[in-house]
Amino acid sequence: MKILVPVKRVVDYNIKVLVKSDGTGVETAGLKMSMNPFDEIAVEEAVRLREKGSATEVIAVSIGVQQAQDTLRTAMAMGADRSILVLSEESPEPLAVAKVLKAIVEKEKPDLVFLGKQAIDDDMNATGQMLAGLLGWGQGTFASKVEIVDGRAEVTREVDGGTETVSLSVPAIVTADLRLNEPRYASLPNIMKAKKKPLETIQATDLGVDMTRRLTTVSVAEPPTRKAGIKVGSVAELVEKLRNEAKVI
Amino acid sequence: MSEREAMEFDVVIVGGGPAGLAAAIRLRQLNPEANVCLIEKGSEIGAHIVSGAVIEPRALEELFPDWLERGAPLKTPVTEEEMYFLTEKKGFRIPALDRVMPHLANHGNYVVSLGDVCRWLAEQAEALGVEIYPGFAGAEVLIEKNRVVGVATGDMGITRDGEKGPNYQPGMELRAKYTLFAEGCRGSLTKQVMEHYNLRKGVDPQTYGLGIKEVWEIPAENHRPGLVVHSFGWPLDDKTYGGAWLYHFGENLVSYGFVTGLDYENTWLSPFDEMQRTKLHPVFRKHFEGGRRLIYGARALSEGGLQSIPRLTFPGGALLGDSAGFLNTPKIKGTHTAMKSGMLAAEAVIDAMKADRVEPAAYTSLVRQSWLYDELKSARNVRPAFARWGSKLGALYAGFDAMVLRGKAPWTLHFKHADNETLKPASLCTPIAYPKPDNKITFDKLSSVFLSNTNHEEDQPVHLKVRNMGLWKTVNWDVFRSPESRYCPAAVYEAVDTDTEARLVINSQNCVHCKTCDIKDPTQNIDWCTPEGAGGPNYPAGM
Ligand SMILES: Cc1cc2nc3c(=O)[nH]c(=O)nc-3n(C[C@H](O)[C@H](O)[C@H](O)COP(=O)(O)OP(=O)(O)OC[C@H]3O[C@@H](n4cnc5c(N)ncnc54)[C@H](O)[C@@H]3O)c2cc1C
Ligand SMILES: Cc1cc2nc3c(=O)[nH]c(=O)nc-3n(C[C@H](O)[C@H](O)[C@H](O)COP(=O)(O)OP(=O)(O)OC[C@H]3O[C@@H](n4cnc5c(N)ncnc54)[C@H](O)[C@@H]3O)c2cc1C
Ligand code: SF4
């Protein structure tokens, strides 16, 4: 079983982003970039499936600028066997990404595509579902547990009010949720070894995919700053304030 | 131990600041075959760099005569310069700056983000074949048969109680013929090496300053690219060394910060609050109006100069840059000297490698023959003059030294005390009333630390090791009333339960790796150790 893991290069989750002074987006120039945390979880799960013998090969793919190869090196340091960089402009839209992934899937013929449930930059939560639609494959989204049983993927999903388990015939799409696993560190020896693993680079345009932007950002604003809280002396005072000042009860 | 993997290199460099990167580049320029590995504890090169920074391009020019064509990020030449002596309400501009304080004359220099310069140097180094691994701290010096044979990175995935967690990964041994320590001011491995080889024997104690910095974006109409402002005097008392800087650079950016000499005496002093309140002085305030604060950070710097430089080499390696103390204090510049020292060390290492010598001892003589030594020699009496006679007389001495003696005084003033010995007991010090933050120009510590993007994986042993907690109570609390809760610029230390049984809480996740606690703790009871890889601030571009 072959697993394809798309990994996105995003602003590191430790960085507090700032809205550009003209309100057209957030400032990303010169910020530390890392692999989307949900994609780390997807890579980890794919590598564990290979280590358990359920999968034979893990291929990481990233669509974006040249520097996305650092993200792919990280995926390989975590255990992916090889990777593919599809060069395009920075942060393409989910539909374009799904179309590129479809082309890669047709070339590589994986049995599972393992994505993160969402990327922490745009929080779209769309790429996996769109890819499933384009390919006409089954999908197990928000996975908190994945098992390969008799050639089928059993995916436990986090849904409102509990979990749901679906059994998917392969090929299929799985998207990883936060509690699926705790990804390993890319250790220094593995980072050194990852430098020697194969990384193929192709142009998005060579895949015949239309990357035109369809979405328009109207405006981006910072959340309103919260006012400082106060300490109340007693329950009576709290009730009084809720009633007369906040007027919520 | 045996489960650790090991890798052999010709040279391992610890630290990716200007010193380490310049050394790496020079090594590959001199010998393209040498395999050179550089590790950096920041999550990427530049992530832990804090500097002013007005830099002299002298060493860069020697390293890459074509730096301009290569696109080095030195984009803002210094255009205007102002130096003020401040009183609470007024600022007196020092006339004829280039004659009275020639150290501070900045013609031909550039205002930069040193983090960005380091990122650029790292690109150049990688293009020359240097292997760079950010996100890995050197945690241990490997010494065999009294020779340094490399360093080991720390284990990852150790839990808070010191057990191996589910994600445990052992560290790695990076073994080398020569190991160069370029950890910057107060390096944690450098400290061990100095001790092991007794490298500080016969030299003055090192003295330090703490620099706390903010980067602001200001309205374009107020931006004067290349403007350089410095101040001394208020708000510090005459006995305390320090002052503010403010540089306009880049796209509407302002670098502002404040250095406090860590030989300060008043235990109530808070370097953070001195930095904040100085922004309110009329000389500075106008620069911030209508702007917004983008980044916050802090870092100690070595101020001892020539008298405090230890022996530079030992079997199997050398100390570079601010790890050795090559900063020119009156100039407040250490970038060009750090780079130069790295380049000279590289030459000595290539030389030693050819002759198969254990110690790259030629480094010391190369330093002595270079402009680096001349420069530090002529600057050597300025900082100790301030330590002895205070700010006003110190400044007069500095002017006399520059105009009359021209740095050639037949005497050398010495430092008598290490910075941890200078604090006075709380009962003998006057408390300082700092103004409350207005959240427009001045801010509190926690919202500031937030802008350093600092982070440490929570489940790991505390990397600030207090050797003896009992000593904290009897000395730090009973005598000095917890000076660490004031000097730490990241609100790591908190004295709690002060009405009953005072104890110390350490919020280690907040640490921005400035090293002040390792320096200033009265009994040297705190050891700053490297946290798990990639922990610490994530200073973005522009810092
Ligand atoms: C990369 C990433 C992406 C995520 N994306 C999403 C998403 O898109 N949608 C989603 O629903 N969830 C998402 N989550 C999960 C979500 O962020 C967390 O589950 C959620 O923030 C947890 O909230 P909490 O209140 O438990 O804790 P925290 O987030 O730790 O705390 C929230 C607030 O509580 C305060 N607080 C904490 N402890 C105390 C205390 N003891 N007393 C008083 N105040 C306290 C904190 O100051 C903070 O303001 C994501 C998580 C990660 C790591
Ligand atoms: C507030 C302030 C203002 C300054 N202003 C100026 C100025 O205007 N002009 C000027 O020329 N100079 C200025 N300096 C001085 C200048 O920044 C330093 O002299 C210079 O950065 C020293 O270079 P370095 O390479 O020796 O050390 P650093 O720049 O400190 O770099 C050391 C690097 O090593 C890393 N490191 C440390 N320990 C380890 C470890 N154990 N393992 C792995 N990595 C490690 C650190 O994370 C860091 O990236 C200023 C310094 C400060 C603090
Ligand atoms: S804990 Fe020490 S090193 Fe860390 S920020 Fe505070 S004073 Fe600096």
Side-chain angles (χ1 to χ4, degrees), chain A residues 13 36-38 117-118 120 123 178-179 226:
Chain A
Y13 71 95
N36 176 35
F38 291 107
K117 72 162 180 179
Q118 70 194 101
I120 60 165
D123 274 345
L178 201 61
R179 269 166 288 270
R226 246 183 40 181

Side-chain angles (χ1 to χ4, degrees), chain A residues 112-129:
Chain A
L112 278 180
V113 182
F114 226 128
L115 304 93
K117 72 162 180 179
Q118 70 194 101
I120 60 165
D121 48 359
D122 294 325
D123 274 345
M124 294 279 201
N125 194 334
T127 308
Q129 293 87 331

Side-chain angles (χ1 to χ4, degrees), chain B residues 323-492:
Chain B
S323 280
F326 280 120
L327 188 111
N328 180 331
T329 308
K331 277 191 185 172
I332 2 168
K333 288 192 186 66
T335 307
H336 64 300
T337 51
M339 289 182 69
K340 181 68 179 176
S341 74
M343 290 154 66
L344 296 173
E347 285 170 31
V349 162
I350 293 292
D351 207 47
M353 206 144 68
K354 276 191 208 131
D356 207 17
R357 260 193 306 265
V358 176
E359 187 161 336
Y363 176 36
T364 310
S365 44
L366 287 173
V367 166
R368 282 200 161 252
Q369 290 152 20
S370 77
W371 53 257
L372 170 54
Y373 183 81
D374 297 338
E375 190 180 317
L376 293 183
K377 184 151 190 238
S378 71
R380 76 191 181 285
N381 283 331
V382 176
R383 178 65 177 89
F386 278 86
R388 266 176 203 222
W389 300 311
S391 286
K392 288 199 207 87
L393 289 176
L396 275 180
Y397 178 86
F400 170 71
D401 190 295
M403 296 209 292
V404 181
L405 304 169
R406 297 181 189 280
K408 295 196 167 59
W411 59 80
T412 295
L413 303 177
H414 288 278
F415 297 100
K416 298 203 189 88
H417 302 287
D419 294 341
N420 64 303
E421 299 166 346
T422 56
L423 272 190
K424 296 241 159 76
S427 55
L428 302 180
C429 298
T430 319
I432 307 174
Y434 292 111
K436 273 213 157 41
D438 62 17
N439 290 321
K440 289 195 180 70
I441 289 176
T442 58
F443 303 92
D444 68 6
K445 251 190 212 177
L446 279 178
S447 64
S448 302
V449 178
F450 185 76
L451 293 181
S452 71
N453 297 316
T454 192
N455 185 43
H456 293 86
E457 166 70 44
E458 247 174 87
D459 195 12
Q460 64 170 304
V462 173
H463 70 279
L464 302 149
K465 306 221 185 299
V466 176
R467 295 185 191 183
N468 174 352
M469 263 301 172
L471 212 51
W472 179 81
K473 174 71 175 61
T474 52
V475 177
N476 296 41
W477 179 252
D478 291 349
V479 182
F480 299 108
R481 284 291 182 269
S482 187
E484 56 283 339
S485 57
R486 289 175 291 277
Y487 64 61
C488 171
V492 168

Side-chain angles (χ1 to χ4, degrees), chain B residues 188-209:
Chain B
S188 49
L189 299 187
T190 302
K191 188 170 147 184
Q192 292 171 28
V193 171
M194 282 192 198
E195 214 162 289
H196 184 91
Y197 293 105
N198 203 8
L199 301 179
R200 300 209 64 90
K201 199 174 93 186
V203 303
D204 285 4
Q206 184 58 273
T207 182
Y208 301 88

